[in-house]
Amino acid sequence: MASSDSSRVGVEPSASGDQHTTSSSYHPHQDASFCGPSNVIINPISALGPSDISAVCPSDVDVNTLPAVNPTESYNPVFTTVANPVANRHTLRGFEIQTLDSMFTSGNVGSETANLPDQSLSVDTTSTGTTTSTGTAPTSTEHQHLHFIRFETKGTITAAIHATPNGTPYWIPQVDDRYLPVVNSTFTHWEDIVMMYNTYATQSGFSTRIGTSKNKKYHDNPNTKISTHRYILCSREGQPRVTESDPNAPSKNAPTIYDKSKKQHRRSRFTVSGCRARIKVRFDRATEQYKIYGFIAAHNHCMIGSDHANMLKQNRKLGFEEQQFIHKVSLNKIGPTVAHNIQASLKGGPQNVRGTTEDFKNCSRDIRAFISERDADILLHTMRSRVTNLNDFYFDCVIVDNELRSFFWADFVSLRNYEAFGDVCAFDATYDTNKYKMIFVPFTGVDHHKKCVIFGAGMLYDETIESYTWLLNTFLAAHKKQPIFVLTDQDASMKQAVSTVFTNSIHRLCMWHIMRKLPSKISNDILDNTTLRSSIHKLVWNLFITPQTFEERWHLLMDEYHLDNHPWLCEMFAIRHEWVPCYFREIPMCCLMKTTSRCESSNARFKVNSSETNTLVQFLMCFETSIDAQRHTQRDLEFKSDMSTPRLSTGLRIEAHASETYTWSMFLEVRKEIYMGMFHCMPIERPGTTDVKNYTVRHCKSNMSYVNEFEVSLNVPEQTVSCTCLGFTRIGYLCRHVFCIFRYHQIERIPSHYIIPRWKRDALPSVVHSVSNIYSSNNSEFAIIHNEIMDLVTQCTTRLRRNPDQLRSLSSEIKRIRNRVFESFPCEPQPRSVQKTANISDILNIPSNLSKSVHPPQGIRNKGCGTKKQRIGPGGQNIKDKRKKAGKRQKAARLCNKCNKYVFDHDSRNCEKIKAAKLAARAAKRDSAIAAGLPASSDSDSDDTDVDLDDTDDDTNDDIDEYNSSDYDASEYPVSMQKAPVPERTHVGRETEQSFEPDQNLRRSTRRRKPSNIARDS
């Protein structure tokens, strides 16, 4: 028997011989110390007055009609026949049930009561001869009397506290009769029982969980197991787990009393208390129904108030909708915490959200764990099913020793985009997109709205020439033709692969990657104190000079600053034909992309949705989310081009023709050229023939000052034109100088041979923008009907938002529909793990029984998977020195509870390991010194002293670096008085003695400070 604990019930239990009388109108709320005699049991409902009963009874019960019972009279509970307290779909078949007051029975009333602390708190029908269906409950000489103590009310939840003669308290929930479980009642479906008991638990203020079950194989079908007995328990059932047994403990289940001198475990709270409250269910195979054959209502713990009802376990269980919401928002890089906050904002507070932040995190963890076990198999299954079921979907992969190494994919829209805009293509590798450190390589182009489009994407195991060669060959096999321009950075593997695969393409290096190295390759004195930087930029970015002019000006610039023999500049000049724009000025569309900035932009957009902790499947879903957003932008611009008429700025008919031909984005560019040709260009006719007219067009500023001159030749009969600026060749539409001559000759339409298809409105087929090509769209019948139902409910609630009565009627109608659906389509009992797996499988739309045959890549080490430190080349010492002088935030020292010292290199968990490693190093050093014939140094020699490796930085000093943790023993002084001594150290040109308090300085963010500041602060 448990010991008395009067502090939990608020009173000391009375002796067996006490006599205490009271009137029937006594209110136990007014006197918490009231306790009846030991041989008296007080009816916890009838002993109250009308005002108290109103707090615990339903609003439709007339408290004046309840009978008053003298609390001094002996109370004998009876079984009464009541209506079914559960929903209308439950059929009780007229079984007689117990009311709440009949929980107080005596004797051994069932097989389950043998383990109860007090057997008078259970009702069970499994034992024969101990209970009857009607009449007074049996009595026994071993009857243990319960004494009513008081009522405990928390919000709308009330519980009657009773105690045994030795003071053990028990809480009996006070709920409406219609929520009480009914012994001997039958149910057709297991889901109905779980829902009924969860409803009772919510009204009572406790959580439930499914207990153990007893399965049985039947002879007629030995392959089928049927659960014959199942328990639904209070969530606080069970005993705390004992990690260290106490030899003086009375039993193995007794909780261990830890010695305070020993290490305390981090988890110091228990969520179980040995509560025996439960219902017991038996399955009758003859009638194919579930029957409640036992019900224990008493709890050995207090109830949870109604204000915290949303925290109960049964109310925190996430449904399919919540799990799907968590997964979908994660594709936009929204974590579970933010997802919970969004739900709380949408539903009017966290109390209305099913589940807590931890539940949302657990759901995200479960989805990730489900994928990680079969990540590569799910990816291959998804891709191969798309190849089979979708039109023009290309996929290829490399598998080595059942390990996925590389793969490439391109869908129908990517293939169509490349057909229209594949003249210029750029690709660049990006990192930190998945947990396996695979390299993500998307192929990027420019569409007819001057927006980025993706031609395909690949994932590589490494950045070798072989990997890039395979990727480009696969890209070429998917798209069937080579691009005109291929733009990359200076990666050597990419350069070799491009020259091998794209033999007909022109490989161009990114100018931005080259020019950004200028500060690290040339001395800062020259760049900061001269005009060299601006002169180089002005020279290399000039589009209108010839290669001969560029070379002449380059040599003059190098001579002026004495950089003729600079190794990096000489190397860049040697490969000038691969990156300087003037060498590409005669190649079509050479100015469409001069840098890989569009690749960087696309990669950054992909990283907005993805994370370095994602699996391959999650990364693929995040990639598809980004692609959907990119294609939605394209669809939106297509819609605006078709549905809008631009305002004309010049009134010329050629401008109106341009608005009908080009997309909206390109029309803005062409309109600008028409306007500039009309108001800022001056034609001067030169001698020519009858059919060919030659002009000199002067480009003027707003103040009519000349800027430049260009030669334009027009063949009037054929309507062909050429300009020395090569604008049409470079960008694909006519320049302002040509439009100036067109106006002079009154040409009102742009010749068709000067309208490139890639800039026209109909550059892409309309099927590209079909909803079926949107990754996130779910065109299944279930999704369509589900969205329709949700829209209908939203429309109804929105219409009735100002009519509460009608809104309440709508809610009642929806509840009736729900009950009818639940009755017609029950949910059979399933293990929690099976149900969780089924939900995740439906959310991800992948089979749960997928075999594990291919493994994800492991052990990838590339330049993008390290510690995120920037690689600095031979000329990058200036940047390194600047960052070094700027200082770095140091980690503060921490108190190790094992060695009781402030240290930087370990804590209490690895103290012994670090200590053993140090001792081994000292021993090895001592042995090597002895073997060399040198005197062995003591253990206290330079092993524990810090060495300043940064002897080049004389202007900065870190007080943490000078702190010697091994010289300080924290056990000698109280924590508030502890001061960590700092050993003296000699630096070049100065000597400084410093000290600091670990309570203050060590726990703050440490910064590099000058010695004078440290001395002043100390």
Side-chain angles (χ1 to χ4, degrees):
M1 189 68 66
S3 60
S4 174
D5 188 4
S6 60
S7 62
R8 297 183 65 183
V9 297
V11 346
E12 196 72 36
S14 60
S16 59
D18 291 344
Q19 296 293 332
H20 190 96
T21 60
T22 184
S23 63
S24 59
S25 61
Y26 179 78
H27 295 265
H29 292 288
Q30 298 174 0
D31 186 3
S33 64
F34 169 78
C35 184
S38 61
N39 59 350
V40 174
I41 300 178
I42 300 177
N43 184 346
I45 297 294
S46 302
L48 298 177
S51 60
D52 295 309
I53 296 176
S54 301
V56 297
C57 290
S59 59
D60 56 347
V61 176
D62 188 1
V63 297
N64 297 321
T65 61
L66 295 176
V69 178
N70 192 336
T72 61
E73 296 178 359
S74 178
Y75 172 68
N76 293 322
V78 297
F79 292 90
T80 60
T81 303
V82 297
N84 178 16
V86 199
N88 293 331
R89 66 182 186 278
H90 303 318
T91 303
L92 299 183
R93 302 182 183 275
F95 283 106
E96 299 176 8
I97 62 173
Q98 288 179 300
T99 60
L100 177 65
D101 300 335
S102 61
M103 297 299 102
F104 312 112
T105 60
S106 61
N108 188 1
V109 294
S111 60
E112 192 63 28
T113 59
N115 298 326
L116 287 175
D118 291 285
Q119 299 173 359
S120 58
L121 301 178
S122 65
V123 174
D124 206 317
T125 61
T126 57
S127 299
T128 59
T130 59
T131 59
T132 58
S133 59
T134 58
T136 305
T139 60
S140 172
T141 56
E142 299 176 357
H143 181 87
Q144 297 178 348
H145 301 285
L146 290 175
H147 306 285
F148 175 76
I149 304 300
R150 61 184 174 89
F151 279 94
E152 184 180 67
T153 302
K154 296 180 178 180
T156 60
I157 294 177
T158 302
I161 304 179
H162 295 75
T164 57
N166 66 346
T168 303
Y170 289 93
W171 282 258
I172 311 296
Q174 307 291 292
V175 299
D176 190 3
D177 288 346
R178 67 175 182 270
Y179 298 119
L180 283 173
V182 181
V183 178
N184 289 335
S185 59
T186 59
F187 298 82
T188 306
H189 308 294
W190 169 256
E191 183 188 23
D192 296 338
I193 301 178
V194 176
M195 184 180 299
M196 177 271 299
Y197 196 62
N198 284 340
T199 303
Y200 165 73
T202 302
Q203 297 294 326
S204 302
F206 68 95
S207 300
T208 65
R209 65 179 176 86
I210 306 298
T212 57
S213 62
K214 180 180 179 181
N215 301 325
K216 182 178 180 181
K217 291 183 180 180
Y218 287 93
H219 300 289
D220 55 352
N221 191 3
N223 295 327
T224 303
K225 287 185 178 181
I226 298 180
S227 297
T228 57
H229 296 77
R230 297 179 70 93
Y231 291 170
I232 305 181
L233 312 172
C234 173
S235 62
R236 301 195 66 176
E237 188 272 342
Q239 297 294 335
R241 181 178 299 176
V242 179
T243 56
E244 298 179 7
S245 59
D246 187 356
N248 299 323
S251 64
K252 293 183 179 180
N253 293 330
T256 302
I257 301 176
Y258 294 97
D259 187 0
K260 291 185 178 181
S261 61
K262 297 181 180 180
K263 181 181 177 180
Q264 298 290 327
H265 289 271
R266 293 186 177 183
R267 185 179 294 277
S268 59
R269 294 181 296 177
F270 300 106
T271 58
V272 293
S273 62
C275 182
R276 306 294 293 179
R278 67 189 63 193
I279 62 171
K280 294 181 281 185
V281 183
R282 179 171 52 220
F283 179 74
D284 189 356
R285 191 166 183 265
T287 60
E288 297 290 337
Q289 288 185 333
Y290 294 92
K291 181 180 180 180
I292 299 178
Y293 70 92
F295 171 44
I296 302 175
H299 298 257
N300 66 351
H301 57 86
C302 62
M303 299 294 102
I304 301 298
S306 58
D307 294 335
H308 305 295
N310 62 306
M311 300 292 184
L312 296 176
K313 188 175 182 180
Q314 62 269 17
N315 296 334
R316 288 168 45 194
K317 184 179 179 181
L318 300 181
F320 181 80
E321 290 290 337
E322 287 82 7
Q323 297 178 24
Q324 191 176 41
F325 174 79
I326 295 171
H327 168 68
K328 287 185 176 180
V329 298
S330 68
L331 302 182
N332 294 279
K333 209 173 183 179
I334 296 177
T337 301
V338 180
H340 187 273
N341 295 339
I342 294 174
Q343 285 276 40
S345 300
L346 294 176
K347 296 186 177 181
Q351 73 280 358
N352 297 325
V353 180
R354 180 175 290 273
T356 61
T357 304
E358 294 298 325
D359 297 321
F360 277 51
K361 291 180 180 178
N362 293 339
C363 177
S364 180
R365 175 206 62 194
D366 294 338
I367 295 175
R368 198 180 299 272
F370 176 86
I371 297 175
S372 62
E373 298 176 357
R374 50 184 75 85
D375 194 7
D377 293 291
I378 295 175
L379 177 71
L380 294 177
H381 171 79
T382 302
M383 291 297 187
R384 288 167 180 169
S385 62
R386 290 179 178 177
V387 172
T388 305
N389 302 322
L390 299 181
N391 183 27
D392 283 350
F393 189 93
Y394 189 88
F395 171 73
D396 195 6
C397 63
V398 176
I399 300 176
V400 179
D401 297 332
N402 292 330
E403 182 177 288
L404 182 63
R405 291 299 184 92
S406 303
F407 59 94
F408 170 85
W409 74 100
D411 62 355
F412 171 80
V413 179
S414 297
L415 297 178
R416 301 291 83 79
N417 281 329
Y418 185 80
E419 289 179 1
F421 317 117
D423 43 6
V424 179
C425 176
F427 67 95
D428 189 19
T430 185
Y431 313 93
D432 296 332
T433 59
N434 57 91
K435 62 185 288 188
Y436 308 107
K437 307 301 180 184
M438 293 190 76
I439 306 159
F440 176 52
V441 186
F443 293 83
T444 308
V446 182
D447 68 355
H448 54 326
H449 300 285
K450 303 195 77 173
K451 300 294 183 181
C452 295
V453 289
I454 299 299
F455 300 145
M459 298 287 282
L460 299 180
Y461 183 85
D462 51 25
E463 290 188 282
T464 60
I465 298 176
E466 293 77 12
S467 296
Y468 279 118
T469 302
W470 174 87
L471 180 65
L472 296 182
N473 279 322
T474 309
F475 178 86
L476 189 58
H479 294 293
K480 311 300 182 184
K481 68 174 183 178
Q482 299 183 14
I484 298 176
F485 264 107
V486 178
L487 193 65
T488 67
D489 57 16
Q490 288 183 277
D491 186 85
S493 300
M494 288 184 182
K495 186 175 181 180
Q496 292 291 333
V498 169
S499 61
T500 303
V501 180
F502 293 152
T503 56
N504 299 329
S505 302
I506 299 175
H507 185 202
R508 183 173 181 177
L509 300 179
C510 174
M511 291 189 60
W512 179 80
H513 281 90
I514 295 176
M515 298 307 297
R516 71 188 292 262
K517 296 179 182 179
L518 196 63
S520 61
K521 301 297 183 180
I522 301 178
S523 173
N524 288 335
D525 293 337
I526 299 178
L527 290 179
D528 296 341
N529 300 324
T530 64
T531 60
L532 176 64
R533 187 199 303 266
S534 60
S535 299
I536 291 180
H537 279 275
K538 185 177 180 179
L539 176 61
V540 299
W541 288 97
N542 195 336
L543 299 171
F544 304 105
I545 60 175
T546 62
Q548 295 77 11
T549 305
F550 169 79
E551 294 174 3
E552 294 174 359
R553 295 181 181 181
W554 176 275
H555 290 304
L556 292 175
L557 192 62
M558 295 300 104
D559 292 338
E560 180 181 356
Y561 294 100
H562 307 288
L563 296 173
D564 304 84
N565 299 323
H566 192 279
W568 182 78
L569 291 176
C570 292
E571 180 184 356
M572 292 300 101
F573 182 76
I575 61 172
R576 60 191 180 278
H577 60 281
E578 297 181 1
W579 64 279
V580 178
C582 67
Y583 286 87
F584 305 98
R585 61 194 302 266
E586 297 182 357
I587 300 175
M589 308 304 296
C590 62
C591 290
L592 191 60
M593 282 196 294
K594 297 186 288 293
T595 68
T596 58
S597 58
R598 289 185 177 270
C599 292
E600 302 289 346
S601 176
S602 298
N603 295 346
R605 186 167 188 172
F606 294 141
K607 286 188 176 182
V608 167
N609 294 338
S610 184
S611 170
E612 61 182 0
T613 61
N614 280 346
T615 61
L616 293 178
V617 175
Q618 289 177 313
F619 165 75
L620 181 63
M621 293 180 178
C622 294
F623 169 80
E624 292 169 355
T625 301
S626 300
I627 289 296
D628 282 344
Q630 183 185 94
R631 293 174 182 175
H632 176 75
T633 301
Q634 190 181 70
R635 292 175 62 244
D636 182 61
L637 292 174
E638 287 283 324
F639 174 79
K640 291 181 179 179
S641 297
D642 295 337
M643 295 298 295
S644 60
T645 301
R647 185 186 300 274
L648 303 181
S649 59
T650 62
L652 299 177
R653 292 186 178 181
I654 196 171
E655 183 183 3
H657 178 239
S659 66
E660 298 171 357
T661 304
Y662 295 105
T663 61
W664 168 254
S665 302
M666 288 308 305
F667 170 71
L668 296 180
E669 302 289 337
V670 176
R671 184 178 67 177
K672 179 181 178 182
E673 297 297 323
I674 296 175
Y675 180 85
M676 298 297 292
M678 181 177 181
F679 295 104
H680 293 274
C681 290
M682 181 70 66
I684 301 176
E685 187 173 0
R686 295 187 297 108
T689 63
T690 305
D691 295 336
V692 178
K693 304 295 183 180
N694 298 324
Y695 297 91
T696 298
V697 179
R698 293 182 176 180
H699 189 195
C700 309
K701 291 184 179 181
S702 58
N703 58 0
M704 301 306 294
S705 61
Y706 296 115
V707 177
N708 208 338
E709 293 183 354
F710 297 94
E711 304 297 330
V712 179
S713 297
L714 173 64
N715 189 324
V716 178
E718 298 180 0
Q719 287 193 345
T720 58
V721 64
S722 63
C723 180
T724 55
C725 76
L726 299 177
F728 176 76
T729 304
R730 290 184 290 106
I731 53 182
Y733 53 87
L734 295 175
C735 61
R736 61 193 64 179
H737 317 112
V738 173
F739 282 118
C740 176
I741 302 302
F742 278 2
R743 185 178 68 88
Y744 184 77
H745 285 271
Q746 297 182 356
I747 298 176
E748 299 179 350
R749 296 179 66 86
I750 302 175
S752 59
H753 46 273
Y754 291 113
I755 300 176
I756 296 181
R758 75 171 339 270
W759 298 130
K760 296 175 66 176
R761 291 191 176 190
D762 56 352
L764 288 175
S766 58
V767 68
V768 168
H769 306 296
S770 173
V771 179
S772 60
N773 293 322
I774 301 176
Y775 283 112
S776 59
S777 65
N778 190 347
N779 300 321
S780 63
E781 185 178 2
F782 164 78
I784 295 174
I785 298 176
H786 173 269
N787 293 335
E788 182 180 359
I789 293 174
M790 298 300 295
D791 291 340
L792 292 175
V793 173
T794 303
Q795 292 173 13
C796 293
T797 54
T798 304
R799 182 62 61 89
L800 300 176
R801 66 184 184 274
R802 298 179 181 177
N803 195 334
D805 295 335
Q806 295 298 326
L807 197 61
R808 195 176 298 109
S809 300
L810 176 63
S811 177
S812 302
E813 186 67 25
I814 294 176
K815 289 179 181 178
R816 284 193 292 270
I817 296 175
R818 181 202 62 183
N819 294 337
R820 190 163 61 248
V821 170
F822 278 29
E823 183 177 0
S824 302
F825 302 95
C827 180
E828 296 302 325
Q830 289 181 339
R832 184 179 179 184
S833 58
V834 175
Q835 186 177 4
K836 181 192 302 184
T837 302
N839 288 344
I840 297 177
S841 178
D842 293 339
I843 291 172
L844 301 177
N845 196 21
I846 54 178
S848 59
N849 57 351
L850 198 64
S851 61
K852 304 176 184 178
S853 58
V854 181
H855 306 288
Q858 301 294 334
I860 296 179
R861 294 294 303 171
N862 292 303
K863 63 183 180 182
C865 64
T867 58
K868 297 183 179 180
K869 293 182 179 179
Q870 182 179 356
R871 287 188 169 188
I872 300 176
Q877 192 64 32
N878 295 331
I879 299 177
K880 184 177 179 181
D881 292 342
K882 287 182 179 180
R883 293 180 179 178
K884 202 171 186 181
K885 291 180 180 180
K888 214 176 168 186
R889 181 168 179 165
Q890 299 292 331
K891 186 178 180 180
R894 298 174 61 185
L895 176 63
C896 175
N897 294 327
K898 198 76 174 178
C899 59
N900 222 16
K901 297 177 181 178
Y902 279 95
V903 292
F904 298 95
D905 55 351
H906 70 273
D907 53 24
S908 59
R909 292 174 294 180
N910 55 9
C911 180
E912 296 293 339
K913 182 178 179 181
I914 298 297
K915 183 178 180 181
K918 288 183 177 180
L919 292 177
R922 292 175 184 175
K925 184 178 180 180
R926 186 168 52 251
D927 294 342
S928 60
I930 294 175
L934 300 176
S937 60
S938 61
D939 294 342
S940 60
D941 289 345
S942 60
D943 297 322
D944 287 336
T945 58
D946 293 338
V947 180
D948 188 5
L949 300 178
D950 186 15
D951 54 358
T952 61
D953 188 6
D954 296 334
D955 297 331
T956 59
N957 183 30
D958 194 344
D959 52 351
I960 297 297
D961 291 340
E962 296 183 355
Y963 171 60
N964 190 350
S965 62
S966 62
D967 296 337
Y968 173 62
D969 189 357
S971 61
E972 298 180 2
Y973 306 100
V975 176
S976 60
M977 299 177 61
Q978 292 170 1
K979 291 186 177 181
V982 180
E984 298 182 4
R985 296 177 61 189
T986 303
H987 296 269
V988 179
R990 71 177 190 275
E991 292 185 359
T992 307
E993 182 177 355
Q994 305 162 3
S995 64
F996 65 95
E997 296 183 3
D999 281 345
Q1000 299 176 2
N1001 297 341
L1002 283 179
R1003 301 187 185 277
R1004 290 189 223 156
S1005 60
T1006 0
R1007 301 177 182 175
R1008 292 185 176 270
R1009 297 181 295 171
K1010 292 186 178 181
S1012 58
N1013 296 337
I1014 300 176
R1016 183 180 67 250
D1017 294 343
S1018 62

